[in-house]
Every structure is written in C-alpha cells, then in structure tokens.
C-alpha cells in the first residue's frame, strides 16, 4: 500500500537518521491513539508531522520526549552519524537505556524517563499550550534550561554557596548564552520582564529559545506557529532555518499552518487515525491522494467528485486539499498555485 | 430613571437581609432563645426571647445597611477607601527595611533593657519566641514559598530536631553545640525518608499526606513510652554553654567576665543563638535562590512539566527543598528543646504547623522580609492581646478581654488577607538580572501545588 512516490532516490532521512520511531503503538485503555507507526527524522532536516485533528501527532511527541511510555515499539535517538543498526540491536538486547560510546551514543528513548531524555539524549521540546515559567523573567527561563551544566559547575550547590570562581565563570557564560538566544529571538529588550508579561508571539519564541538553551540535537516543536500573525510566522520560519543551519539541530515539528509546513519542511510525515498515511518531501506529500482524502474526509475515489462540488480556495493557503486528486497525480508537481478546478 | 434601580436595590437588599435574619433565627434558636441550667431533678429551661430577637434585629439591620451601601449598590462607599502607597516610598522602604530590621534585631536585648527595665525578661523571652518562628517560617518558605510544595506537617521536623537533642542529651550526654548539627542532619534525613514516597503526589494529596506524616511522628513520640517518655516528655535538657561557661550563679559566665550575676544573661545569650541560627537560615536561603537549585525550585513551582522537559530531575529537586527545609526545622527544634528545658509531644501539634504556614502565607510566599513581619504580627500580636486590660474600662469590669484574644486575632488576619490576598510582601525579586532589576508582581507568580 506504499504510495508510488517512495520510488524516489534515497533521501537524507533514509540514511542519515537522528531519530527513528519504529513500530510505535500507544494505547489508552481501549483507544488506539498511535498504531504501528514508523518514520525517520533526518539529521539536519526540518521534519513536519502533520495530520487532521486527533490523528495522534501530540501523542507521538509525548512518546518521543518520554511524557508517555509507549505500549509497544522502539524510539532510537542517535548522536553519531549513520544508522548504527548493530549497535542498536546490541543495546536493545542488554536492556540498558543508552550505550557508552563517547559522542556517538545511541539512546532508546522509550526506556528513559522524561528528564533524562532532555538531559542525556538531548531532545528538547516545546508545548502546544505554552508552558513558560510565567513568574520568572525571560532570562531566568533560559537559565533554568541550563540547569544541569550549572548544577555541575556549582558542584551540586556546595561550590555555589561559597561563590567559588568556577561557578562564577559558569554563571556568566550561562547568562551570555541566554543573551545570545534572546538576541536571536528578538527578546533581548525584554530580558528582565516576567515571561507572563510578554505578548503571545514573544512567548512562543521564548519557549523555543528556552528549548535551545538545553543545547539539543533534536528540537521538537508542538505547533510553533499556532496563534501567530503572518509576520510572526515568517520570523518563525527564519528562526527555524537559522537553528537548523547554524546549530545543526534537527527539527521535528507538528504544525497545522500548511504555509509554514510547505515552506520550510524537508520531510513531511502525515498521520491519520494514528497511522502513517504518507511520508516524503513536501511536494510528494501534497500530491498524495491518501493525504488529500484524509484532509477532506472522504474516500480516495470520491476526492475528484468532492472537489468538483466545493469551491476550492487558492491553494497557497491550504495546498493539500486544494491539489488535484489521483487523476492528476501524474502531472508534474510544479509550484503550487495551479490547484483549482480544470 | 433613578427611582427604578433604587427601588430594585431596596427590594433586593431587604430580601437578602430577611434571608440572613431567618438564618440567624433558625441557627440562634437553641443558643439564644433557649437556655438550660442544671436544676433540681433535671434541667431548668429558661426562655430568652429578647436576646433572640435582638440578635435577629442586629443581623437584619447590619445586613441591610451593608447591602444598601456596599454589597449591592453600584457605588459602594468602600470604593473610596483604597490605601495607596507611593511607589517611591515603597522602594525606599524596601531598600532600608531589611538592614533596619537587622540592626534592631541585633540591638534588641539592650534596647529592651533600657526601655522596659522591669519587664525585660518577659520581652526578651517573647523576642526569642518570635525569632524561633521567624526561623521556622524561613525554613518552611523554602518548601512552600520557593518549591511550591504545600507541607502541612512541617512541625514533624521541628519535633525530630527537638527530640534528637533531648534524647541525645538524655542517653548519650551530648551537649547543645554538638547536638545541634546532628539534630539538623537527622531532621534532613527524615525529610528525605518521608519525602521520597510523598513527593510523587500532587496538590491536595501532598498536603493531606504531609499532614498525616506530621501526626504520625507526634503519635509515635507519644506512644513510644520506653524511649521518649511518651506524654511525660523529657525534662532536664541541658542549657547551652558559652564556650564552656555555664550561666550559673557561681563559676559561670558572669563570674568569668566580672559581671553581677543575673538570669537575664542567659536569655540574652539564647536570643543571640536563635538570631544567629535564623540569620544563617536566611543567608543560605537567599544564596540558594540565586543558585541553579533555587531557580529549579521556583521553576518547579511555576510548571513541573516544563521543568521535566528541560532535563530537571523533579523528584530530586523536590527532595532537596524538602530536606533543606526540614534541616532548618531541626535546628530550630533543638534550640526549642534547650530553651524550654522540657519537651513533650504537646508542643508539636498540627496547630504549630498551621501557625508556621500562616506566617509564610501572611508574609507572602517566597518573601523573606514578609515572614519576619508576619511572625512579629502573629506571635507578637497574640501575646500583645493578652494585655488588653484597658478594655475593662470600656466594657466594664465583667468583661474578660483575654477571652476575645483569638477572635480579635482572627479578625485581624481576615482583614490582612482581604487587603493583601497574596501576603504582605507579594512581589518577587528575580534571581538573575541582565540589565535592570524589575520586581515581578505577584499575580504572575504561580503558587505551586495545593494552593
């Protein structure tokens, strides 16, 4: 049942993998939220996880970041290059959480508690409903994110109490690093304001800055563009591009704003009812008939008929539903915009 | 136009006042209207209809007036009464309040001796009591104010500290200064032991279980008769020495320094011990707040899930808050034991926990100065209300003012909480500053769990 597009030459996410989700299943009582889901996140890619409401995207996120323990499946995070199959198989048999391999560690995230995933596996996340420390300043928020290195520098608080020079230096560096991210997110002027005082768009960016202060290898963003105006949305795109290029951080994001998804994603994974229905580049996915039917809520064969019935908006705003259905899939997937009725 | 809403106001007010009066009539029937006295061959019943009607009438009239002028009207008369303090004044006061209070605290015994030469013992003793509560408040402030964990059993660690010293003195003949750090360590250990199962709980459940643990410790102390002496308590707890010098009539502190012997010396000494202990608590707390651990506590109070997403081990962070808070309670407890010379489980009831928590809440969660003010108001206030003799002049010789002590005190607390719902000092000082230090208003700061 794999879509025909899978025939394209090997992509970054097939070979250079930072995170692989393998046969992930999550069951809440009788509800099957995610069913046998497998996908890869390429190193240095921006990967989008999309799907209609209730498709299980946030559940996948919570499994990856350890907030849920998956019912079945394996989630592997790699710090080293390559797929490292043998290492992972060996690790899986030992029952340990990660191997001791210097900088090339692999982590089995489904075995790790949530805070260890951020601390050791270096997976950071943001939340759909912003979770900042509202009563603390923007700067303090970013310092909390550097808790673990600062704890070490303060010798588990003992050196800090006596204000030893080692801690002083680490503290100054932490503030510099926080200031760097405040600068990058355009919040430096508000560094000493409580986070709850910031406008919504600023709070979204501050949350990303805070996640980046944990120096992650993989950044998971749960609907980062939700509630942003078009200008802020563009700024967000630039910020994510910057994070990916200049820090080499891979990004996995859930997003409903197709403008953002199609513009910045290298790789799109589409979920519906907890199952993967499409996986490929943005262009491949938006021409996939199964995606179109999932978004329109009809059978694949009916898509054409439905399309004819309803007035499609210009595809720039909602490219996926606006694209022609299977009958036209053979056509070259050019720049969007020609999606209307023929 | 004006008449219609007015008549509506009147009707509403009368209706509401009538309901209140009816409630009083029902509730007060057995308390006001009927009175039973033990008489010959049973109970004598007397009717006091006048008193009952008076109570109903007072409630009706009071409620009606309040409705007309405060509750129901669009322009309540109370709207004019707002206490505004100029911002400049608050910053000046904020800057100098701490140092001034510190200077006062350091010089207090001598100020008291000069001002009240015939009541100095009493006042220094009261100052010691207040300072003990300041220290306990500062200790609990770490748990409740910073980490946001509602601990209703804080007195348990106070008890552990007190009993550790008392038992060590009784069985091992250990003096105060050796026992003090051990008592703190023991209390901190108990904090970890009790905290480990408890801290997985959240909110109200945490509060209930800490309350239960507080009671368990007290009940164990009460029933382990062979070891702790049960309800008889432990007496003869040694007094602290001053570098080996006792405060005794001969061969002690006074003789060594060529002073005339006076019992006040020991009180002054005890006062300085508790002052030093309290200041250490304050120093450590202020220091910890600026360290990663303190910031993690505050972050935990704000949002636990976000903390975990940033790689903070929340269980360990909570445990450190719990055990450091417990340690200071342990220090305070062993001081309490040495000051009293006698302890029994009576001293460690839930009421103590409630008073300490009230001090923290009244002072403003997380505020150090607030705890001091609240301790002075609460502990000093209760004691002050013992001396209400002048009210006899107003209400006649039959009036017993000490009976109304708790009533007046409760009323004062209600008024403070109405005026300042987030405590006396409710703004938060950021722990790190980039350019400019700005106070954070309390309505942004989360209160943590179980509030």
């Amino acid at each position: 049942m794999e879509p025909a597009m899978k025939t394209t030459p090997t992509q970054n996410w097939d070979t250079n993998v930072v995170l692989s989700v393998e046969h992930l299943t999550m069951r809440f009582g009788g509800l099957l939220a995610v069913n046998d889901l497998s996908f890869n996140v390429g190193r240095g890619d921006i990967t989008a996880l999309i799907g209609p409401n209730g498709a299980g995207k946030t559940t996948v996120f919570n499994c990856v970041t350890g907030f849920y323990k998956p019912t079945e499946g394996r989630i592997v995070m790699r710090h080293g290059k390559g797929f490292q199959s043998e290492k992972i198989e060996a690790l899986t048999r030992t029952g340990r959480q990660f191997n001791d391999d210097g900088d090339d560690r692999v982590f089995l995230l489904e075995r790790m508690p949530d805070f260890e995933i951020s601390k050791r596996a270096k997976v950071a996340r943001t939340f759909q409903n912003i979770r900042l420390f509202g009563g603390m300043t923007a700067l303090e928020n970013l310092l909390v994110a550097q808790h673990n290195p600062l704890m070490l520098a303060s010798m588990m608080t003992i050196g800090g109490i006596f204000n030893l020079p080692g801690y002083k230096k680490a503290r100054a560096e932490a503030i510099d690093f926080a200031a760097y991210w405040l600068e990058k997110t355009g919040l430096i002027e508000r560094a000493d304001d409580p986070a709850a005082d910031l406008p919504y768009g600023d709070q979204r960016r501050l949350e990303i800055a805070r996640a980046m202060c944990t120096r992650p290898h993989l950044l998971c963003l749960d609907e980062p563009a939700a509630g942003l105006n078009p200008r802020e949305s563009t700024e967000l795109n630039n910020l994510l591009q910057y994070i990916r290029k200049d820090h080499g951080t891979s990004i996995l994001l859930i997003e409903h704003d197709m403008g953002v998804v199609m513009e910045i994603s290298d790789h799109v994974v589409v979920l519906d009812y907890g199952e993967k229905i499409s996986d490929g580049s943005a262009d491949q996915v938006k021409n996939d008939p199964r995606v179109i039917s999932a978004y329109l809520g009809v059978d694949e064969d009916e898509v054409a008929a439905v399309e004819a019935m309803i007035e499609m908006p210009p595809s720039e705003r909602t490219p996926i539903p606006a694209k022609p259905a299977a009958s036209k899939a053979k056509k070259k997937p050019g720049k969007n915009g020609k999606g209307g009725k023929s | 136009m004006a008449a219609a809403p007015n008549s509506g106001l009147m009707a509403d007010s009368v209706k509401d006042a009538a309901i209140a009066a009816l409630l009083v009539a029902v509730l007060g029937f057995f308390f006001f209207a009927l009175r039973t006295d033990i008489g010959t061959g049973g109970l004598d019943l007397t009717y006091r209809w006048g008193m009952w009607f008076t109570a109903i009438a007072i409630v009706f009239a009071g409620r009606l007036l309040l409705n007309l002028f405060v509750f129901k009207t669009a322009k309540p008369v109370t709207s004019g009464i707002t206490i505004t303090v100029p911002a400049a004044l608050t910053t000046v006061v904020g800057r100098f309040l701490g140092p001034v209070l510190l200077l006062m605290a350091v010089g207090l015994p001598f100020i008291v001796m000069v001002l009240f030469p015939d009541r100095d013992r009493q006042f220094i003793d009261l100052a010691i009591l207040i300072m003990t509560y300041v220290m306990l408040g500062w200790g609990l402030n770490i748990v409740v104010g910073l980490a946001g964990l509602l601990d209703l059993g804080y007195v348990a660690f106070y008890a552990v500290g007190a009993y550790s010293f008392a038992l060590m003195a009784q069985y091992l003949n250990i003096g105060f200064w050796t026992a003090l750090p051990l008592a703190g360590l023991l209390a901190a250990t108990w904090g970890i032991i009790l905290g480990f199962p408890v801290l997985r709980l959240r909110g109200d459940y945490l509060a209930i279980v800490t309350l239960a643990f507080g009671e368990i410790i007290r009940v164990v102390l009460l029933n382990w008769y062979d070891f702790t002496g049960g309800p008889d308590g432990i007496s003869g707890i040694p007094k602290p020495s001053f570098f080996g010098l006792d405060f005794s009539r001969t061969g002690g502190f006074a003789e060594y320094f060529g002073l005339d012997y006076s019992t006040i010396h020991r009180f002054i000494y005890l006062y300085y011990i508790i002052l030093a202990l309290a200041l250490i608590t304050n120093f450590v707390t202020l220091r910890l707040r600026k360290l990663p651990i303190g910031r993690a506590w505050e972050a935990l109070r704000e949002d636990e899930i976000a903390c975990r997403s940033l790689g903070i081990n929340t269980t360990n962070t909570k445990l450190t808050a719990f055990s450091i808070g417990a340690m200071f309670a342990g220090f305070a407890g062993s001081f309490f034991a040495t000051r009293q010379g006698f302890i029994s489980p009576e001293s460690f009831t839930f009421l103590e926990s409630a008073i300490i928590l009230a001090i923290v809440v009244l002072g403003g969660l997380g505020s150090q100065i607030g705890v001091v003010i609240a301790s002075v108001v609460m502990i000093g206030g209760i004691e002050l209300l013992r001396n209400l003799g002048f009210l006899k002049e107003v209400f006649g010789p039959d009036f017993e003012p000490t009976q109304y002590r708790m009533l007046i005190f409760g009323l004062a607390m209600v008024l403070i909480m109405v005026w300042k719902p987030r405590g006396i000092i409710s703004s938060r000082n950021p722990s790190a500053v980039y350019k400019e230090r700005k106070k954070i208003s309390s309505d942004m700061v989360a209160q943590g769990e179980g509030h």
Side-chain angles (χ1 to χ4, degrees):
Chain A
M1 288 298 281
E2 283 291 295
M5 291 97 190
K6 214 67 232 263
T7 53
T8 43
T10 35
Q11 306 271 11
N12 186 37
W13 60 85
D14 291 326
T15 50
N16 190 9
V17 186
V18 64
L19 176 86
S20 56
V21 173
E22 297 165 18
H23 305 288
L24 177 71
T25 298
M26 185 72 214
R27 212 176 260 118
F28 297 106
L31 177 77
L32 190 59
V34 178
N35 186 15
D36 195 24
L37 172 72
S38 302
F39 68 92
N40 291 338
V41 176
R43 187 177 301 281
D45 278 355
I46 295 181
T47 307
L49 194 58
I50 65 170
N53 285 332
K57 306 180 294 290
T58 301
T59 307
V60 173
F61 251 49
N62 283 339
C63 289
V64 169
T65 51
F67 283 85
Y68 295 156
K69 286 283 153 260
T71 318
E72 279 166 49
R74 189 166 73 172
I75 305 168
V76 187
M77 177 78 193
R78 299 166 180 79
H79 283 183
K81 293 219 155 41
F83 210 85
Q84 310 183 63
S85 310
E86 295 103 65
K87 236 190 240 179
I88 293 164
E89 291 310 324
L91 180 63
T92 309
R93 279 191 298 274
T94 60
R96 298 181 54 219
Q97 296 176 343
F98 48 86
N99 61 0
D100 304 311
D101 210 4
D103 290 338
D104 283 358
R105 284 179 172 177
V106 290
F107 299 84
L108 297 179
L109 300 188
E110 80 280 2
R111 294 179 180 177
M112 299 172 71
D114 43 17
F115 70 92
E116 293 272 1
I117 288 178
S118 168
K119 185 177 166 183
R120 295 185 197 277
K122 294 287 172 197
V123 178
R125 74 168 293 178
T126 65
F127 295 87
Q128 197 171 346
N129 45 340
I130 305 172
R131 282 183 174 276
L132 286 168
F133 307 122
M136 304 173 88
T137 65
L139 178 71
E140 285 182 294
N141 269 274
L142 303 198
L143 290 180
V144 172
Q146 302 176 60
H147 176 79
N148 288 316
L150 279 175
M151 268 313 255
L152 279 180
S154 73
M155 300 196 298
M156 295 299 154
T157 305
I158 294 153
I161 287 193
F162 300 106
N163 215 0
L164 298 183
Y167 172 67
K168 267 188 188 163
K169 186 161 160 278
R171 186 184 131 91
E173 281 169 6
I175 291 182
D176 285 347
F177 190 59
Y180 167 80
W181 278 110
L182 286 172
E183 199 95 58
K184 283 292 160 222
T185 47
L187 295 167
I188 193 74
E189 294 300 319
R190 317 271 333 236
D192 291 320
D193 286 329
D197 233 2
L198 301 177
Y200 190 80
D202 289 1
Q203 292 195 5
R204 283 247 174 246
R205 286 205 307 285
L206 181 60
E207 211 189 11
I208 294 175
R210 186 179 70 179
M212 285 311 291
C213 276
T214 62
R215 300 171 198 256
H217 286 222
L218 174 67
L219 176 64
C220 300
L221 305 171
D222 199 343
E223 297 199 23
L228 300 189
N229 63 34
R231 189 179 54 80
E232 288 171 327
S233 211
T234 316
E235 282 172 11
L236 176 77
N237 285 358
N238 296 339
L239 177 66
L240 296 187
Q241 295 283 13
Y242 173 80
I243 287 172
R244 181 257 295 266
K245 267 203 203 88
D246 287 46
H247 288 267
T249 305
S250 319
I251 295 174
L252 173 64
L253 59 94
I254 291 177
E255 191 48 74
H256 279 299
D257 184 334
M258 288 304 151
V260 174
V261 171
M262 293 303 155
E263 201 179 318
I264 64 170
S265 313
D266 305 299
H267 176 197
V268 179
V269 177
V270 190
L271 292 190
D272 193 19
Y273 294 108
E275 290 183 46
K276 183 165 86 173
I277 57 168
S278 185
D279 186 341
S281 71
D283 279 341
Q284 287 172 335
V285 162
K286 71 183 162 195
N287 291 309
D288 189 332
R290 297 186 59 179
V291 176
I292 299 164
S293 65
Y295 268 82
L296 289 179
V298 290
D299 288 342
E300 285 167 43
D301 330 331
E302 293 177 37
V303 170
V306 172
E307 266 203 317
M309 255 161 56
I310 52 173
E311 283 291 319
M312 283 282 122
S315 53
E316 260 156 28
R317 282 182 53 226
T318 50
I320 284 182
K323 272 288 154 189
S327 58
K328 291 184 185 167
K330 282 164 276 164
K331 253 186 138 180
K332 262 195 128 179
K335 282 264 165 255
N336 50 10
K338 306 225 171 75
K341 296 178 288 180
S342 54
Chain B
M1 274 295 272
N6 255 349
S7 67
L9 170 72
M10 192 66 198
D12 270 2
S13 305
V14 171
K15 191 175 155 200
D16 186 80
I19 292 171
L22 184 69
L23 277 174
V24 171
V26 174
L27 291 175
F29 182 75
F30 297 101
F31 303 104
F32 292 126
L34 306 178
R35 182 190 165 94
T36 50
D37 291 299
I38 296 171
T40 46
L43 289 173
D44 281 346
L45 188 63
T46 42
Y47 298 98
R48 300 185 298 179
W49 299 114
M51 196 178 200
W52 188 51
F53 281 123
T54 316
I56 295 170
I58 288 173
V59 168
F60 182 79
R63 183 84 194 178
L64 187 64
L65 288 175
L66 277 174
N67 276 336
L68 282 175
F69 296 108
V70 183
F71 294 155
K72 305 255 179 195
T73 173
K75 282 186 278 179
V77 287
T78 45
S79 66
I81 315 165
T82 45
I83 304 164
T84 46
V85 185
L89 184 70
T90 47
T91 49
V92 169
V93 169
R95 190 169 306 151
F96 293 109
L97 191 60
V100 165
L101 281 178
L102 179 63
L103 274 179
M104 269 176 62
V106 170
L108 187 88
F110 304 101
I111 299 172
V112 165
M113 279 162 76
V114 170
L115 290 182
F116 308 97
D118 47 342
R119 295 178 73 183
D120 50 0
R121 262 191 58 172
Q122 186 199 347
F123 280 130
I124 293 176
D125 203 37
L126 178 59
I128 293 172
L129 188 68
I130 291 175
M131 207 48 94
T132 313
Y133 279 97
V134 169
M135 179 169 176
L136 286 169
W138 277 340
L140 186 63
N141 211 356
I142 295 174
V143 186
V144 181
L146 294 183
L149 305 165
L150 185 54
D151 182 358
L152 293 181
Y154 192 62
V155 78
F157 306 118
Y158 189 43
V160 168
Y163 267 88
S164 308
F165 171 45
L167 292 170
M168 276 190 260
Q170 193 177 33
Y171 290 105
L172 307 170
N173 210 8
I174 287 175
F176 173 72
W177 291 109
T178 323
L180 182 70
L182 292 176
L185 275 180
L186 271 171
T189 313
W190 273 102
I192 292 172
I193 292 170
L194 298 190
F196 213 73
V198 164
L199 293 177
R200 292 166 195 284
L201 303 170
R202 292 165 155 241
D204 306 349
Y205 304 101
L206 177 72
I208 292 166
V209 176
T210 51
L211 170 70
F213 268 126
E215 286 301 287
I216 287 172
I217 296 255
R218 190 178 63 84
V219 172
V220 167
L221 292 175
L222 196 61
N223 288 287
W224 197 356
Y225 191 83
D226 300 333
F227 187 55
T228 65
D232 302 344
I234 300 173
S235 55
I237 301 167
K239 299 287 177 198
S241 61
F242 181 77
F243 296 104
L245 293 173
D246 286 334
F247 288 84
S248 52
R249 190 171 285 280
T250 52
F253 175 84
E255 201 171 290
Y256 188 84
F257 288 97
L259 301 168
D260 291 334
Y261 174 75
S262 163
T263 50
I264 196 85
H265 293 162
R266 189 166 67 219
F267 282 90
I268 295 176
Y269 182 52
L270 282 173
Y271 174 79
Y272 280 116
I273 290 176
I274 187 65
L275 180 64
L277 286 174
L279 287 178
I280 289 171
T281 312
N282 185 33
F283 172 77
V284 171
T285 311
L286 287 179
R287 198 84 232 197
L288 288 176
R289 256 205 78 204
K290 293 195 189 319
L291 290 176
I293 185 75
R295 235 175 341 248
W297 289 340
E298 292 202 81
L300 202 64
R301 177 192 67 202
E302 296 283 332
D303 194 322
E304 183 176 342
I305 288 177
C307 274
R308 284 191 279 154
S309 84
L310 297 173
I312 295 174
N313 185 340
T314 48
T315 313
N316 285 357
T317 309
K318 285 180 185 176
L319 271 181
T320 52
F322 217 61
S323 61
I324 290 176
M327 181 180 74
F328 288 124
F331 290 147
S334 62
F335 174 80
F336 175 77
T338 195
R339 178 182 91 107
Q340 297 286 91
F342 164 78
I343 52 168
S344 75
E346 292 273 287
S347 311
F348 309 105
T349 54
F350 171 66
L351 184 67
E352 289 296 309
S353 284
I355 289 178
I356 304 165
L357 187 67
I359 286 173
V360 174
V361 173
L362 202 65
L365 291 172
S367 160
Q368 299 290 92
I369 289 278
V371 166
V372 177
I373 299 173
S375 305
V376 172
V377 169
M378 279 200 61
I379 309 302
I382 292 180
E383 293 301 312
L384 193 73
L385 290 174
R386 285 189 203 278
N387 309 315
L388 289 177
F390 68 91
L391 286 178
K392 280 196 180 182
E393 321 250 313
V394 185
F395 294 100
D398 287 344
F399 184 77
E400 189 49 62
T402 47
Q403 286 185 347
Y404 296 86
R405 197 160 64 101
M406 283 301 173
L407 187 70
I408 296 170
F409 182 70
L411 201 64
M413 276 191 66
V414 169
L415 286 178
I416 292 177
M417 289 326 272
V418 168
W419 172 50
K420 287 228 152 185
R422 299 287 297 253
I424 296 168
I425 311 263
S426 50
S427 62
R428 177 181 174 272
N429 233 337
S431 66
V433 179
Y434 184 64
K435 269 204 189 93
E436 180 195 356
R437 182 174 293 277
K438 295 175 188 167
K439 294 246 180 197
I440 297 170
S441 115
S442 59
D443 33 291
M444 308 211 173
V445 181
Q447 291 186 322
E449 299 190 344
H451 294 281

